[in-house]
Amino acid sequence: MQELGKLEDLPQHYRDELQALNLVPLWPSLRGVLPPGVPARQTRPTCWAYQDIKPLLLQAGELTPIEKAERRVLVLANPGHGLEKMQASAAIYLGMQLLLPGEWAPSHRHTPNAVRMVVEGEGAWTTVDGEKCPMQRGDLILTPTGLWHEHGHDGTAPVVWLDVLDLPLVYYMEASYHINGDRQHTHTGRGDRQHVRAGVAPTRVFERSHKAYPVLRYPWAETRASLLSLAADDPALECVQVTYINPETGHDAENILGFYALMLRPGQSLRLPARSPAQVFHLIEGAVQARITDSTFRLAEADTCCVPGYEAVTLTNLHAAQPAFVFMADESPLHRKLGVYENRG
Ligand code: GTQ
């Protein structure tokens, strides 16, 4: 490949003149922004063990009252991006949030989309747009862009969940902001009760649903049962995976990030092809190894890892007799919308 001219090849007076006029020569940086064949990725394969996070999160519970935190979160930051950037990948933010019994994380809304994956504890709830969603282990709860949300806890033991947001992207777009609000009035009616199973959705004879997000809570019991049913229906099916969708549109549950649940059969090894979006794996149940070209992670329950895009990932269920269940998040809705999605096999 042709070697391109360097900045140092240019006379200093010329460089100074350009700089004074806010001008930059492209050619010294051309290969940097358009590298050959594969993008440069700052996202480093990184794993966070829940056994490391939990004691530090509980300490945060003692050190910082909820009033001083609003959201008591330890961010799972990718060192490849610099920890201060608080991003797991180009578009994905991950955080572990702690709420103690009796605490309340006040209502706010913001432009980034969020979801919660409940890791442990009973008795907490998130109210989204007036809908009070109970939080049980493995449940996925959406707080899509612009919707009011607050978290509360009527139980007796700490509750922890994983937050997944598209904050890095929305911040990069200079479109990230929040508005604080008052405690929400809750209403009856819950999307997770209206859209339960069998591929049916409520018939809107009298008025169309005005809700862009008809389902805000995806109970783990239902998702787990779907995976077991999918696996039993087709014993030859290799990728036993479901996508969290908006049941009234059939599209991804949120606009920017995609969310999935995957079951690995006992002892199964599954190679996921190299695709352009970065991915996150969070183990709900079992023991799983995640391997990419230069890294191998062993995930115990509640552990989380992220891998950059353009990497094939091989997931292996380390148990020979029980299935494993993995929650996944990726950037594919974003990549597809932007027309840069690739599957390289
Ligand atoms: O619970 O609303 O991890 O606003 C980061 C920002 C959680 C939340 C985060 C947030 C929240």
Side-chain angles (χ1 to χ4, degrees):
M1 189 167 26
Q2 176 73 46
E3 179 101 11
L4 300 178
K6 297 183 173 56
L7 194 60
E8 305 82 68
D9 299 342
L10 298 168
Q12 190 61 49
H13 68 86
Y14 179 73
R15 287 155 62 182
D16 292 346
E17 209 174 325
L18 290 180
Q19 199 181 342
L21 294 167
N22 299 318
L23 295 168
V24 174
L26 173 62
W27 56 98
S29 306
L30 185 60
R31 298 281 187 252
V33 292
L34 290 170
V38 194
R41 283 144 300 159
Q42 284 175 271
T43 302
R44 217 181 277 167
T46 308
C47 190
W48 296 268
Y50 187 58
Q51 68 166 29
D52 294 335
I53 299 173
K54 187 177 174 185
L56 293 166
L57 203 47
L58 291 173
Q59 276 184 61
E62 293 164 12
L63 295 168
T64 307
I66 192 70
E67 296 75 21
K68 289 282 181 196
E70 278 184 27
R71 301 294 191 263
R72 195 191 288 109
V73 176
L74 292 179
V75 178
L76 283 53
N78 193 305
H81 288 273
L83 298 185
E84 71 289 350
K85 292 279 175 56
M86 299 198 299
Q87 55 192 104
S89 74
I92 305 175
Y93 158 105
L94 300 171
M96 281 277 180
Q97 183 161 172
L98 170 71
L99 202 61
L100 295 171
E103 286 185 335
W104 179 60
S107 193
H108 72 181
R109 60 195 184 97
H110 42 68
T111 43
N113 297 272
V115 301
R116 334 271 156 206
M117 165 52 53
V118 183
V119 174
E120 73 168 314
E122 296 276 326
W125 43 267
T126 291
T127 297
V128 190
D129 199 22
E131 194 171 311
K132 190 170 176 179
C133 302
M135 300 179 98
Q136 279 162 7
R137 194 174 99 87
D139 290 354
L140 184 76
I141 294 169
L142 309 186
T143 59
T145 179
L147 298 192
W148 293 109
H149 55 282
E150 63 191 88
H151 316 296
H153 190 350
D154 304 325
T156 54
V159 165
V160 177
W161 63 82
L162 176 70
D163 290 319
V164 187
L165 282 77
D166 47 28
L167 177 63
L169 176 77
V170 179
Y171 181 78
Y172 175 75
M173 291 164 60
E174 303 187 344
S176 178
Y177 72 96
H178 89 283
I179 293 171
N180 280 333
D182 298 326
R183 195 176 268 263
Q184 293 173 69
H185 296 288
T186 56
H187 55 69
T188 56
R190 280 200 350 225
D192 64 308
R193 291 193 181 135
Q194 293 163 10
H195 301 76
V196 178
R197 55 172 70 87
V200 295
T203 307
R204 317 277 184 199
V205 174
F206 300 108
E207 55 176 339
R208 293 184 55 167
S209 170
H210 55 277
K211 290 185 172 164
Y213 301 91
V215 172
L216 297 168
R217 171 176 185 254
Y218 297 77
W220 175 238
E222 298 288 342
T223 310
R224 190 180 189 280
S226 302
L227 288 166
L228 286 167
S229 171
L230 186 59
D233 181 62
D234 183 359
L237 181 67
E238 228 197 320
C239 186
V240 183
Q241 183 179 323
V242 293
T243 301
Y244 289 93
I245 58 164
N246 176 332
E248 295 199 0
T249 63
H251 299 147
D252 289 285
E254 288 186 345
N255 279 324
I256 295 177
L257 302 181
F259 306 101
Y260 318 87
L262 173 85
M263 181 184 124
L264 294 167
R265 298 173 195 268
Q268 184 186 1
S269 227
L270 174 70
R271 183 184 178 280
L272 299 170
R275 288 163 293 172
S276 53
Q279 302 181 80
V280 168
F281 302 93
H282 170 82
L283 190 64
I284 298 180
E285 195 180 318
V288 164
Q289 185 194 70
R291 188 166 52 78
I292 59 171
T293 311
D294 292 320
S295 319
T296 302
F297 300 126
R298 191 186 189 286
L299 301 178
E301 285 178 9
D303 291 355
T304 307
C305 71
C306 78
V307 303
Y310 300 86
E311 286 273 3
V313 184
T314 301
L315 298 174
T316 303
N317 181 351
L318 299 172
H319 283 318
Q322 289 134 30
F325 295 93
V326 183
F327 168 65
M328 294 155 61
D330 77 5
E331 301 167 332
S332 51
L334 172 68
H335 281 223
R336 288 181 203 275
K337 285 181 176 111
L338 297 182
V340 299
Y341 181 87
E342 272 187 64
N343 182 339
R344 297 192 174 184

